[in-house]
Amino acid sequence: MMSEPVRLSKRMSELGICSRREADEWIERGWVKVDGKTVSQLGSKVLPHQKISIEKQASQEQARRVTILINKPVGYVSGQAEDGYKPAVSLISEATRWKGDPSKEKFKPSQLRSLVPAGRLDIDSVGLLVLTQDGRIAKRLIGENSATDKEYLVRVKYLKPGKLPENDLQLLRHGLKLDGKPLLPAKVNWQNDDQLRFVLREGKKRQIRRMCEAVGLKVIGLKRIRIGQIKLGDLPPGQWRYLRPEEKF
């Protein structure tokens, strides 16, 4: 059976070499080879068995890409500036770098270029936010097939008399729908009388707040403390550090 040819940039993204956008840049620069021959035509197609390799310059450029972990405070948006609110990237400067950052990486303003949030954190939520120049990391954290879980501590208030019934807690774990679509199973447990711990494998807009609303809980505070294997740890609010090469989500 003949396999269908696919766009070279799509295939490179599927193989985890880089993002599609990076692939297109590298193809234009003549940094991509298919079966040993340079391919510099955008939109070129390849068959699944063909061998794709990249030039040294592409690997070097990719190695220079930084990923930054920030403890986002309330009042900042994750991505583009909106409604007069500043984006989290505006917090990043030499002065706000955490003194405890063990990375040897030197801060350069050029690192702020094409630094994109890999996932959202609402304006009124705090905690771990990842900003990256590396398309592979963005894909791993927010791609359609991402299996990276995220952990949150959520302070809540029950708006009905008494305590949240056990079957409503079960609903938070599995059975709710948002925008007409069933949510993936989540881990939800009480940490203490007014705080829940959520572990999710998806990140729909205002998901935890909307899940809580559905069972009569009002969210008072929300903090993300972990993404995959990377923990917020001792990083102070409004400060940031580099992801180190040996750290993996």
Side-chain angles (χ1 to χ4, degrees):
M1 189 180 103
M2 274 295 287
S3 291
E4 288 290 305
V6 293
R7 277 181 81 115
L8 176 55
S9 56
K10 181 173 191 262
R11 182 68 179 142
M12 287 170 72
S13 167
E14 281 169 1
L15 291 169
I17 297 171
C18 60
S19 70
R20 285 194 197 190
R21 199 185 64 199
E22 285 170 310
D24 283 337
E25 276 175 32
W26 294 353
I27 291 165
E28 281 191 303
R29 291 179 183 179
W31 290 354
V32 180
K33 288 184 172 174
V34 176
D35 293 337
K37 292 196 179 73
T38 300
V39 174
S40 54
Q41 183 66 45
L42 282 181
S44 299
K45 297 196 166 185
V46 290
L47 289 163
H49 67 267
Q50 290 186 281
K51 185 178 185 306
I52 299 169
S53 56
I54 58 173
E55 295 286 358
K56 204 164 67 234
Q57 298 98 302
S59 308
Q60 285 167 345
E61 187 181 88
Q62 202 166 37
R64 284 198 296 272
R65 305 223 153 145
V66 298
T67 295
I68 282 174
L69 311 173
I70 187 164
N71 185 347
K72 186 188 91 63
V74 165
Y76 286 82
V77 290
S78 308
Q80 301 296 316
E82 54 184 84
D83 304 333
Y85 294 109
K86 287 183 171 174
V89 71
S90 67
L91 286 165
I92 297 169
S93 69
E94 188 60 70
T96 53
R97 183 175 180 177
W98 181 39
K99 297 286 180 278
D101 185 359
S103 170
K104 301 276 186 283
E105 185 76 50
K106 293 234 183 313
F107 176 72
K108 296 189 276 297
S110 62
Q111 291 166 348
L112 301 177
R113 273 208 310 271
S114 66
L115 199 60
V116 296
R120 259 196 306 258
L121 200 54
D122 296 333
I123 188 159
D124 34 15
S125 302
V126 302
L128 184 57
L129 181 67
V130 177
L131 299 161
T132 187
Q133 292 179 317
D134 190 333
R136 296 168 302 176
I137 286 180
K139 186 178 179 212
R140 191 167 306 141
L141 298 190
I142 53 176
E144 278 170 40
N145 305 317
S146 172
T148 309
D149 61 358
K150 299 167 184 81
E151 184 176 343
Y152 303 81
L153 294 178
V154 187
R155 201 163 289 287
V156 291
K157 184 179 175 195
Y158 193 43
L159 299 177
K160 299 174 188 172
K163 289 183 74 164
L164 183 77
E166 186 59 32
N167 54 348
D168 280 352
L169 185 64
Q170 289 299 342
L171 257 185
L172 286 174
R173 290 175 182 148
H174 196 214
L176 289 176
K177 285 182 174 180
L178 282 190
D179 307 323
K181 287 195 178 144
L183 294 174
L184 295 175
K187 290 181 187 153
V188 186
N189 298 296
W190 286 105
Q191 292 293 95
N192 51 47
D193 288 347
D194 66 346
Q195 193 173 54
L196 285 164
R197 175 178 158 271
F198 276 72
V199 180
L200 303 182
R201 282 212 333 274
E202 58 194 332
K204 298 199 184 323
K205 194 161 185 177
R206 297 182 83 79
Q207 179 169 338
I208 290 177
R209 292 172 194 279
R210 291 164 71 195
M211 287 170 77
C212 286
E213 260 167 40
V215 296
L217 289 169
K218 180 178 166 65
V219 172
I220 309 294
L222 192 155
K223 181 182 192 178
R224 183 157 60 204
I225 57 169
R226 179 176 65 79
I227 298 176
Q229 293 177 40
I230 303 299
K231 293 181 177 158
L232 180 63
D234 299 327
L235 189 59
Q239 294 186 24
W240 62 275
R241 71 173 181 85
Y242 288 106
L243 182 76
R244 299 192 302 284
E246 69 275 12
E247 290 185 297
K248 298 281 179 270
F249 285 100

